[in-house]
Amino acid sequence: MNDSATAAIHFQEVDYAIFDVTILKKITGSFPKGKITTLVGPSGAGKTTLLKLCNGLISPTAGDIFINEEPISSYDPIQLRRRVGIALQSAPMIQGTVFQNLALPLELQNKKLTEKEALHKLADVGLAQPILHQKVDDLSGGQRQKVSIARTLMNRADILLLDEITSALDPTSVHEIEQLIIDLNCKYETTIIWITHNLQQARTIGHYTWIMADGEVIETGEIDILTSSTNKRVQRFVQGNLA
Amino acid sequence: MTYLTLSITLIFVLIPLFLSKTLHLQLEKDTIIATVRSIIQLLAVGYVLKFVFEAESFFFIFLMVALMIAVATDNARKKGKTIKGITWKIAITLVVIEILTQSILLGFGVVPATAQYIISISGMVIGNAMVLAILFLNRFTAEVEARREETELILSLGGTPKQAVRQPLIDAIKTSMIPTIESQKTIGLVQLPGMMSGQIIAGADPVQAVQFQLMIVFLLLTNAAMSSVLLGFLSYPTLFNERMQLIKRKR
Ligand SMILES: Nc1ncnc2c1ncn2[C@@H]1O[C@H](COP(=O)(O)OP(=O)(O)OP(=O)(O)O)[C@@H](O)[C@H]1O
Ligand SMILES: [Mg+2]
């Protein structure tokens, strides 16, 4: 797990602070290439902040991050963000229609999205045609989340960062999205980092897991450590979550 | 008008002073300060202008215009404190607009190249551009703040800073231009523009006064468009760092 040779992303003593408030402390660890790693921990633990570091939306205040063994600072920010895609927690939308949102990643590269491709992507996330030209303001929370996932997939990134992408979905949809991501992982060997508050989900989809609390990583390892860890803080978090 | 007749008009200052006193508005001090300041400032400007007009030297004209730009810049910069190097950006914007308008007016011989024309028109152009710059900066910083998530989304998908602020920038440019366009729709119907009234009182032919006013109206349209577009394109890059990240500011 700490062998950075097989790591898609490796953190080395990473700190992140903003306005002198420390949010992440001495983060060290790897996200294995071609695997699904779930990222769990209580609210405010710093999970979203960690994902934004990987996508280059923010930079560490100390320490280093390596993407495919190259320091993150050696990448052009635009190329990095296309290769390390992120689905943001709040599923933000640009004003306009679902189609405009799906076309956005391509439009940013001066490319066009055809209606057929858009419908295909919608089908992938379990949405049907009538929604394509709907204004995003009229979408339900769950539909928004699905559009946000489809939009992130447009860039065909080799690393995908997913921030609680199923929190607003019904159980059937949750299952569909899980299957979609697992398929991507199998078919294209896409590396996945998936933040979830649902430990059951973390266990069924993840190969590995990172457990965070108070800006620190308190445990990393194969997914079983969620139940087998002897770390008191991990046990407390898991029990609290399942209760 | 003589200084004697002018002093009679001080009655218009006594009325608010009296009202303030009886109604306990506590505005006596401010009213007096405002009156004294306007007397000193305008008289000073009057004598300076008289001197400059008589000297007919381009050096003094240049000095007057530079002074106007400096004062206008100082006024507007306070609105854009969050933008780095805003003072220079506003100054450059005002200089470009001034040069553009004067070269068109003087170049085509629309107005004669005399101190009277250059300074009065500069005053209007620079004053107006300053108000627009303030309006634009207010709007742009608010717009970017309100649409942080959208901006971050575009960056996260591999967009450039320019692509990320495009919509807030366009919206801010639009909103700061609308008042100019709207006010021109009712011009002359509700209120006679200041310059036109002044010329008419001074005895100019009303049609002549209208022609000049129309020129100013057209000028102000260019002004409105140019000041927000220039300032917008000069200031958006400072919202991002070299890693193309939106710079966070403490609220
Ligand atoms: N821009 C910011 N300014 C100040 N504090 C911030 C900022 N961004 C994050 N924080 C703080 O950093 C901490 C971690 O936030 P983060 O969003 O990473 O948590 P999280 O683990 O994703 O939580 P959740 O499960 O609720 O999404 C929180 O205490 C948060 O208030
Ligand atoms: Mg979060």
Side-chain angles (χ1 to χ4, degrees), chain A residues 188-199:
Chain A
Y188 304 106
E189 298 190 336
T190 310
T191 304
I192 313 277
I193 306 176
W194 190 329
I195 296 179
T196 174
H197 274 289
N198 180 340
L199 289 192

Side-chain angles (χ1 to χ4, degrees), chain B residues 30-133:
Chain B
D30 281 321
T31 310
I32 291 172
I33 290 177
T35 308
V36 172
R37 275 191 64 162
S38 59
I39 292 172
I40 295 174
Q41 287 168 6
L42 285 180
L43 281 181
V45 167
Y47 282 108
V48 169
L49 286 180
K50 198 175 154 99
F51 170 76
V52 173
F53 289 176
E54 277 163 10
E56 277 294 350
S57 137
F58 276 104
F59 174 71
F60 287 121
I61 297 176
F62 176 80
L63 217 62
M64 276 298 287
V65 173
L67 186 72
M68 285 178 192
I69 290 178
V71 174
T73 301
D74 187 58
N75 233 317
R77 102 194 138 81
K78 292 166 195 143
K79 292 293 166 197
K81 275 196 182 124
T82 50
I83 295 167
K84 217 166 58 194
I86 191 62
T87 309
W88 287 114
K89 287 170 182 155
I90 295 171
I92 290 170
T93 305
L94 295 179
V95 168
V96 169
I97 290 174
E98 167 70 6
I99 291 176
L100 182 82
T101 31
Q102 294 299 349
S103 21
I104 293 175
L105 291 180
L106 300 177
F108 287 107
V110 180
V111 298
T114 62
Q116 276 93 324
Y117 283 100
I118 297 178
I119 291 176
S120 325
I121 292 172
S122 297
M124 275 183 275
V125 166
I126 294 168
N128 196 264
M130 176 193 79
V131 172
L132 282 161

